[in-house]
Amino acid sequence: MLILKNGKVIPVVGEEFVGDIAIENGKIVAMGENLDYPDAEVRSVAGCTLIPGIIDAHCHIGMFEDGMGFEGDDGNEYSKPVTPELRAIDGINPFDKCFSEACAGGITTAVTGPGSANVVGGQFVAMKTAGDRIENMIVKEPLAMKAAFGENPKRVYSGQKTFYTRMTVASTLRKTLIEAKEYEKKLRDAGDDESKKPAFDFAKESMLPVIRRELPLKIHAHRADDILTAIRIAKEFNIRITLDHFTEGYMIINRIKKDIEELGAGIIVGPLLTDRSKIELRNLSMTAPKVLYDNGVKFAMMTDHPVIPLQYLPVCAALAVREGLPEKAALESITINAAEIVGLSDRIGSLEVGKDADIAVFYGHPFDFRARCVMTVVNGKIAHDEL
């Protein structure tokens, strides 16, 4: 057993207190004042702030390796525009130094996967930032299926003279969903008769959890019109979605709030601490989180690593606070909101008895630019230690 003693605890769910957290078998087993267990390892965190391990709900860590070009670029498969059979875990390098840097910054869970070159890019995974091999780092796999609208698939496949317009991007996604539904119907009609079953199709098989609402479609959409197209298709096919990036979403939030609520769509905003590197980002604004908050829309913030290094997610949240977002809402956007939106709030996102012992210990408040993460606990083990 490990006890972190006499720290300022911000559980996110529940009231702040000064006291202790007891950890055993990777889980939080007790929280309160003056906890005392025989033979426990006790670490003083007096003067420190303890928050839940930070969660990045959308990034590409391990897929685009640090300081490398083609040799470490495994995030986009350019050979064809629809690749749902691809699995992020087969492209992630868990030994990329960015994992240890993220962990040292208090980030304990990363939702990572393919980039946005393809209309359908493959399966995302949620994983811890500390571990000795990827199988031991996985929280959930697959977590979501990646899809993309807008400039990126247009640019990639117009270069290959495959398609040129947003119309074709949308029709390609529709075609993929229709074919998956037809494939499922053939499987259902065949029942246990193997002779009547369609030939195994890896891509269509991989899309079945999406059309069955078991897996959300994680949709890359920056522009307002692309966001509206994503909503339109989600309604047409009755699928679960998250809207990732959502760069111009704040501009139309009063028009689409009802759609978001009806669909149960998760909103993941970012990266915000970046330049306007393409036309889609011309309306990028650090005030977007405040606009969403003012309209009662739950959201998470993300880095889109390597666009923003993962360890600077708290800096992004802090800048949103500077632009008017309440501090509590900013902290929720990188902890409990992120956990809820990606469907993992039963394990992570807050400091509660029974949840994974993922804890970030800061000297100072994590939104203070001078604050430093001095200890990170992942699955109950100290993975980073400067105390």
Side-chain angles (χ1 to χ4, degrees), residues 31 49 110 145 164 170 173 186 231 251 272 298 302 343 351 362 373 375:
M31 297 170 58
T49 301
M145 179 67 70
Y164 297 87
L173 179 57
K186 290 176 182 177
I231 289 171
M251 298 168 59
L272 297 177
K298 180 191 296 184
M302 53 107 142
L351 299 178
F362 282 82
C373 182
M375 179 186 288

Side-chain angles (χ1 to χ4, degrees), residues 98 101-107 303 305 308-315:
C98 293
E101 291 176 340
C103 183
I107 289 79
T303 63
H305 178 103
I308 303 170
L310 209 64
Q311 62 268 28
Y312 297 126
L313 183 54
V315 176

Side-chain angles (χ1 to χ4, degrees), residues 288-297 299 324-326 329 332:
K290 181 182 185 300
V291 174
L292 299 182
Y293 174 82
D294 289 345
N295 281 273
V297 176
F299 65 92
L325 181 67
E332 289 171 344

Side-chain angles (χ1 to χ4, degrees), residues 273-293:
L273 185 57
T274 183
D275 68 327
R276 296 181 179 90
S277 58
K278 54 184 180 178
I279 296 295
E280 285 183 335
L281 302 182
R282 66 188 180 277
N283 291 310
L284 178 74
S285 175
M286 192 62 75
T287 64
K290 181 182 185 300
V291 174
L292 299 182
Y293 174 82

Side-chain angles (χ1 to χ4, degrees), residues 50-68:
L50 282 65
I51 65 170
I54 297 167
I55 303 163
D56 193 327
H58 179 117
C59 69
H60 309 285
I61 191 170
M63 306 287 290
F64 299 92
E65 293 179 51
D66 191 56
M68 296 179 69

Side-chain angles (χ1 to χ4, degrees), residues 138-381:
I138 290 171
V139 181
K140 185 176 180 181
E141 194 279 325
L143 180 87
M145 179 67 70
K146 178 68 179 288
F149 291 118
E151 282 186 39
N152 289 9
K154 274 188 59 173
R155 183 183 67 252
V156 170
Y157 290 98
S158 64
Q160 296 185 23
K161 299 184 179 180
T162 304
F163 57 75
Y164 297 87
T165 68
R166 280 178 163 81
M167 292 183 293
T168 305
V169 172
S171 69
T172 299
L173 179 57
R174 282 192 176 94
K175 182 173 183 286
T176 302
L177 292 167
I178 289 168
E179 289 176 348
K181 290 175 77 71
E182 291 174 345
Y183 182 77
E184 182 192 41
K185 184 178 185 303
K186 290 176 182 177
L187 288 171
R188 189 171 59 247
D189 290 347
D192 296 328
D193 190 340
E194 293 293 331
S195 66
K196 294 182 179 179
K197 287 184 178 180
F200 178 80
D201 187 305
F202 198 4
K204 293 184 180 69
E205 197 78 25
S206 299
M207 287 297 294
L208 292 180
V210 175
I211 63 170
R212 291 171 178 167
R213 295 181 57 84
E214 298 164 1
L215 205 63
L217 205 59
K218 191 175 184 64
I219 299 177
H220 164 113
H222 285 285
R223 247 172 51 170
D225 56 332
D226 291 325
I227 292 167
L228 290 167
T229 299
I231 289 171
R232 187 180 311 119
I233 291 176
K235 286 183 175 182
E236 286 177 26
F237 290 91
N238 188 32
I239 56 175
R240 296 167 53 209
I241 62 169
T242 63
L243 295 167
D244 296 48
H245 300 299
F246 206 65
T247 303
E248 292 186 355
Y250 74 97
M251 298 168 59
I252 57 169
I253 195 62
N254 60 330
R255 306 179 200 177
I256 63 173
K257 181 181 175 182
K258 184 177 179 182
D259 297 303
I260 290 169
E261 291 171 348
E262 288 176 353
L263 288 168
I267 306 299
I268 304 172
V269 180
L272 297 177
L273 185 57
T274 183
D275 68 327
R276 296 181 179 90
S277 58
K278 54 184 180 178
I279 296 295
E280 285 183 335
L281 302 182
R282 66 188 180 277
N283 291 310
L284 178 74
S285 175
M286 192 62 75
T287 64
K290 181 182 185 300
V291 174
L292 299 182
Y293 174 82
D294 289 345
N295 281 273
V297 176
K298 180 191 296 184
F299 65 92
M301 293 181 68
M302 53 107 142
T303 63
D304 204 26
H305 178 103
V307 178
I308 303 170
L310 209 64
Q311 62 268 28
Y312 297 126
L313 183 54
V315 176
C316 299
L319 288 170
V321 172
R322 191 180 71 178
E323 297 301 322
L325 181 67
E327 187 176 278
K328 183 176 184 292
L331 185 57
E332 289 171 344
S333 76
I334 57 175
T335 55
I336 191 63
N337 284 7
E340 290 176 351
I341 288 168
V342 301
L344 297 173
S345 59
D346 59 326
R347 288 187 56 180
I348 57 177
S350 60
L351 299 178
E352 297 181 77
V353 172
K355 285 196 173 183
D356 291 6
D358 292 351
I359 305 168
V361 181
F362 282 82
Y363 270 145
H365 192 284
F367 293 162
D368 184 335
F369 291 112
R370 298 164 297 179
R372 184 173 183 85
C373 182
V374 292
M375 179 186 288
T376 309
V377 179
V378 181
N379 290 334
K381 296 180 180 179

Side-chain angles (χ1 to χ4, degrees), residues 1-11 17-24 26-37 40-45 48-53 350-361 375 377 380:
M1 175 175 284
L2 171 66
I3 299 178
L4 303 182
K5 204 159 189 67
N6 296 326
K8 179 183 178 182
V9 179
I10 305 178
F17 67 94
V18 175
D20 314 334
I21 300 177
I23 299 162
E24 190 171 36
K27 301 290 184 180
I28 297 173
V29 295
M31 297 170 58
E33 298 179 10
N34 302 315
L35 298 182
D36 185 21
Y37 293 86
E41 177 189 356
V42 178
R43 293 294 302 270
S44 173
V45 289
C48 297
T49 301
L50 282 65
I51 65 170
S350 60
L351 299 178
E352 297 181 77
V353 172
K355 285 196 173 183
D356 291 6
D358 292 351
I359 305 168
V361 181
M375 179 186 288
V377 179

